[in-house]
Amino acid sequence: MVTPVSIVAKDLTITLSELRNLMELRKTDAVKKIQENYGDINQLCKRLKTSPTDGIYGIPSELDTRRTVFGKNYIPPKKPQTFLELVWDALQDPTLCFLIIAALISLGLSFYHPPGGSAAACHATDMEEEDEEEEMGWIEGCAILLSVLCVVLVTAFNDWSKEKQFQGLQRRIESEQKFTVIRQGEVIQVPIADLVVGDVAQIKYGDLIPADGLLLQGHDLKVDESSLTGESDHVKKTLTADPMLLSGTHVMEGSGKMVITAVGINSQAGIILSLLGVGETSEKTKDKDNKAKKTKDSSEAAKNLDTVDIERGDEDVEIKTNEEEKPKKAPSHKKEKSVLQAKLTRLAVQIGKGGLAMSILTVIVLLARFFFINFVMKKLVWTKECTPLYLRRILKDLIIGVTILVVAVPEGLPLAVTISLAYSVKQMMRDNNLVRHLDACETMGNATTICSDKTGTLTMNRMTVVQAFIGNMHHRVIAEPNSIHPTTLDCLRKGIATNCAYTSKIVSPERRGGLPRQLGNKTECALLGFLLELKQDYEAIRGMIPEEQLYKVYTFNSERKSMSTVLKNDDGSYQMFTKGASEIVLQKCCFILNEDGESVPFEEEDYALMIKNVIDPMASEGLRTICLAFRDFPADEEEPDWDEEDDIIKDLTCISIVGIEDPVRPEVPEAIRKCQNAGIVVRMVTGDNINTARAIAVKCGILQPGDNFLCLEGKEFNRRIRTSEGEIEQELFDKVWPTLRVLARSSPSDKYNLVDGIINSNVTKQRQVVAVTGDGTNDAPALKRADVGFAMGIAGTDVAKEASDIILTDDNFSSIVKAVMWGRNVYDSISKFLQFQLTVNIVAVIVAFTGACITQNSPLKAVQMLWVNLIMDTFASLALATEKPTEALLKRKPYGETLFDIENGRTAAPEGPPTQHYTIVFNAFVMMQIFNEINARKVYGERNVFEGIFTNSIFCCILVGTLIVQILIVQVGGKPFSCAPLTLEQWLWSILLGIGSLLWGQLIVSIPNKCLCFLKEAGEDIVEAEDEIFEEEVAEEEKEIDYGERELRRSQLLWVRGLTRIQTQCRVVNAFRASLYDKLEAATMGPDEMV
């Protein structure tokens, strides 16, 4: 080993080109090359002036030297679009193109003034008075162009500012994204951009490798290289078979150390990007031969690549370099358009087409009127002298048509969506939501289901051991060290210190009086904190057994649910320590340490008692239970095959079972309650014990006492949704997921199947919109499959962040609720703008159309049109699309749900059970009749229909009796009456609709009778009509009999007879009133007056 010292350029005895050539090799070819040229990787490290154990010295002068010789770990981003390019992109909007064409036509017509005769000479009296603005007709076209210019500039400026914000955010992310390296023998974290060739970096599960390097030490290390090779299989990395680690690839399992050999544009990812001209080459000092060599090497590196997918911050660049399609230039900039934006753009085009049709109709009406008056009624002749005058009039009509088109086209609609989304994305950053995909913002407004992780999202992710079972004693509080046998204590100290990742540690608090900081895996930090409470120094053990001396490590993954580390002792024996899910590790235990530190047999009966008396009580309190165990491999036995994992991790001796508390975040119960009120179902998906998960679910409010919801483990979940052949069946799945609230001991595949099944389900009329949280590498498929994937910004791996749509920068569930609010706010903002836009559009078009048809001119002039367009589009977009969300948004159901929250009865089978849909229709109809019965009490236009209602007891009894019978029919009538029971809310809506009859009656009373003179008096011409019907019926009977026609005639006859009776009743009433009035008049008149 060489102790790192400060260096200069001449001390580095290996060149950049040598390292580039080496990193282009793969697997055994690379191993042979290293052996032939350098001997081994340690010798290569000497030539790089670094130490495999202590790393580089890391002083500024040394770092500058390495950057000068080998380059910086920085890939220049693609050149952003200029403001003019953004203006050009904005002009591609079809609505704006339509407006520009209209403006050019308007300008062309306004400047065309052909000479010709006077209106008097041509006898065109309706053309004698010219419009006051005819000489200023160019304003019409300029008004349109100015409106377009406003929209384009606002859109381009908005995109430009958004690009600037994105670049600033990307720089912030890059500055905050750090990687663990060893410098001067100390483990530190440095920004990725500060990595240099020669750095010794620690890599672990979930990391995105930031530079090319060679493996120094690996434990069960597997890497996903599909982004470079296209192969989906994980590649196992070892010193003897394949030590090559490439930038842009993901660590899927295990951990290890690597020495960095290429950074930035000299890495394999950088070489591919340099082929496409992304960024500028910083190696200006290279001669032509080196440049040619670089191009040749780059071509070789690209030859075997199908797809390169490299993440820089938030940006994904996908490059295809196969033989059939070689890129000739950098990928074009594509403007991200959300689903809502695309829908409303189509709506704007459709409205524009309607405006075009209206404008064409207006022109046709004006021209038809002009030709009819002058050439039909006045019988004028089209003469050569009058042609210019007639053409001018036709052109004026065309301008009016264009004016109507300008009013109709809603050019502000796409702008409103852009402003609303951009404003929401910017504001969501303040609410700890980093939006990576624009459409995710609006999609959250439709979310109906959230599948959330437990640890870190619902809980605080600050874990502490609060209970422990040691030496046959269940300690409800942490025991004193002297109460634990030294042998057991020694096993705990050694097992926890070495079987936790060396990157996990407890450090001093940042401020005085604060809690110690937990760095690394929180569960491992809890175990290390447990050692500290037992007055044990884990750092001393790690100092005696450095990470390089770990013989074999079986790292934690979702399948094992455990982690094991093998140590080789000086006498040739081996000792393995294991930790993991308590019930899983405990099943592999055959012995247990008693109170004297002795190993005693552990039988199946003991296992059942341990579950019942220790693990379940801990889990019921919401504690995560971890089992700690070990196994000795004597020196006199043959060394086992360490690759046969099932034969290794068995016959364990249980040391202890600990209960780890992870408190629920204080704000989570309220956030979940808001989700439930908003119609969003929250489901917990966790790898914890089912009792622990259930207890946390109750604390969070996901489960309430008395709820009939399911809590399942992964095994039971799979048993219920799969057929006997092991295939997932949607019909079986649909029986499980509606009531499922907690999925425990689940694997990433279980989470994916849950998300996929809910999305594909047809149980509900509206498709379920699913949001999912995830932090692990294996969560990536579920995050991709979900409608909205939330990755954890703190605990999440790079792979999970890359697969997500939104990154929670605080890992807090309450931030998801804020995302729902912003998503719904986007829809509300657009709805407000649409309400304003469409009403103004319709009124403006009607005014322009009717005015043009009646007065042959548009009431809205050019300058007025400009102002209307600015109000209607640009200003309204800014005003209505930038309102902040309120808590009221969470008090209604997700968008797209049906009225009254019921299923659509029109899709129900005719023979199916009664639906609430048609029951509400029937109930509302009956309510209308009941209230209309009250209306019918007054027939002479009286306003107060309730006057004297209680004086008629029979009327009141019939009214109340009808209502009672209706309630019984609806609530208990069932299938005989084709009714489904209604809720109180639905009854209130039915009554409200019934009250509409009273309002309608008041409206009818308000209409004067003289306005209804076109209606005939009841019974008029009835007798004549009846006689005609009889005659027609007799004549028809002589012909061929048509029974359908006969029934129709009979119905008509009954209707006529009914009207006849009404006429007779009216005559009787009139006669009665006349006689009564005569008697009253006679009684009041004197004898002289009677004469």
Side-chain angles (χ1 to χ4, degrees), residues 657-676:
I657 294 175
V658 296
I660 299 177
E661 182 183 44
D662 187 9
V664 173
R665 291 179 182 267
E667 63 274 17
V668 163
E670 176 65 16
I672 289 179
R673 187 188 61 80
K674 290 179 180 178
C675 284
Q676 293 168 345

Side-chain angles (χ1 to χ4, degrees), residues 84-203:
L84 291 179
E85 288 175 329
L86 293 172
V87 168
W88 177 252
D89 281 351
L91 285 172
Q92 306 307 307
D93 190 291
T95 307
L96 299 182
C97 294
F98 203 52
L99 276 172
I100 293 172
I101 294 173
L104 294 177
I105 293 175
S106 178
L107 280 174
L109 297 178
S110 65
F111 287 118
Y112 180 68
H113 300 288
S118 65
C122 297
H123 303 287
T125 55
D126 59 332
M127 296 169 53
E128 290 179 358
E129 294 184 2
E130 295 293 333
D131 187 21
E132 294 179 357
E133 296 184 1
E134 184 175 323
E135 295 181 358
M136 301 296 289
W138 57 272
I139 296 180
E140 195 90 35
C142 290
I144 304 171
L145 289 178
L146 185 57
S147 178
V148 171
L149 183 63
C150 288
V151 173
V152 168
L153 290 179
V154 171
T155 305
F157 178 77
N158 183 61
D159 291 339
W160 178 79
S161 61
K162 186 171 66 175
E163 181 72 20
K164 288 293 184 183
Q165 293 170 6
F166 175 77
Q167 290 178 359
L169 182 62
Q170 184 176 336
R171 286 192 293 269
R172 173 186 166 190
I173 291 174
E174 289 175 352
S175 63
E176 293 179 352
Q177 196 171 9
K178 297 183 178 181
F179 211 73
T180 304
V181 297
I182 301 174
R183 289 181 180 175
Q184 300 184 54
E186 295 184 1
V187 178
I188 61 173
Q189 288 191 324
V190 299
I192 286 178
D194 292 346
L195 296 175
V196 295
V197 171
D199 260 325
V200 174
Q202 292 183 339
I203 54 177

Side-chain angles (χ1 to χ4, degrees), residues 632-649:
D632 290 323
F633 297 87
D636 55 356
E637 294 183 2
E638 183 180 358
E639 182 176 352
D641 184 355
W642 299 109
D643 293 330
E644 294 295 330
E645 187 176 334
D646 292 338
D647 294 334
I648 300 298
I649 308 178

Side-chain angles (χ1 to χ4, degrees), residues 558 561 685-687 714 718 743-752:
S558 56
K561 299 286 187 185
V685 184
T686 179
N718 280 281
L743 184 60
R745 286 287 179 240
S746 63
S747 64
S749 61
D750 292 336
K751 179 185 282 191
Y752 177 86

Side-chain angles (χ1 to χ4, degrees), residues 115-118 121-122 382-390:
S118 65
C122 297
W382 189 300
T383 61
K384 183 177 181 181
E385 293 77 11
C386 296
T387 297
L389 188 63
Y390 294 152

Side-chain angles (χ1 to χ4, degrees), residues 239-388:
L239 291 172
T240 56
D242 187 2
M244 313 303 286
L245 298 170
L246 305 176
S247 61
T249 59
H250 299 97
V251 180
M252 305 303 291
E253 287 187 31
S255 60
K257 289 195 302 185
M258 62 178 279
V259 58
I260 296 177
T261 55
V263 294
I265 58 174
N266 297 310
S267 65
Q268 294 300 294
I271 291 172
I272 300 302
L273 290 175
S274 65
L275 284 174
L276 303 174
V278 177
E280 298 178 358
T281 304
S282 61
E283 298 174 325
K284 296 182 180 179
T285 58
K286 293 288 181 183
D287 56 19
K288 294 181 180 179
D289 293 337
N290 284 340
K291 289 182 179 178
K293 176 67 176 175
K294 175 182 174 180
T295 304
K296 179 180 177 181
D297 293 341
S298 302
S299 301
E300 290 294 327
K303 189 177 294 183
N304 296 325
L305 302 182
D306 294 327
T307 302
V308 178
D309 188 7
I310 302 160
E311 181 183 89
R312 298 195 309 275
D314 250 2
E315 185 177 4
D316 297 331
V317 181
E318 188 176 86
I319 308 142
K320 294 188 177 179
T321 57
N322 52 28
E323 294 293 332
E324 300 173 348
E325 182 183 56
K326 290 188 178 180
K328 297 181 180 179
K329 59 181 181 179
S332 60
H333 300 278
K334 290 188 178 179
K335 193 175 179 181
E336 188 179 15
K337 182 176 283 189
S338 70
V339 177
L340 178 62
Q341 199 169 9
K343 288 180 180 178
L344 292 181
T345 300
R346 290 196 296 270
L347 175 62
V349 173
Q350 292 170 356
I351 296 174
K353 290 178 180 178
L356 177 62
M358 187 65 74
S359 64
I360 293 174
L361 180 61
T362 303
V363 173
I364 292 174
V365 170
L366 291 175
L367 293 179
R369 176 174 176 173
F370 170 74
F371 282 105
F372 180 77
I373 292 176
N374 289 284
F375 299 107
V376 177
M377 295 180 61
K378 295 183 178 181
K379 298 182 180 179
L380 298 180
V381 180
W382 189 300
T383 61
K384 183 177 181 181
E385 293 77 11
C386 296
T387 297

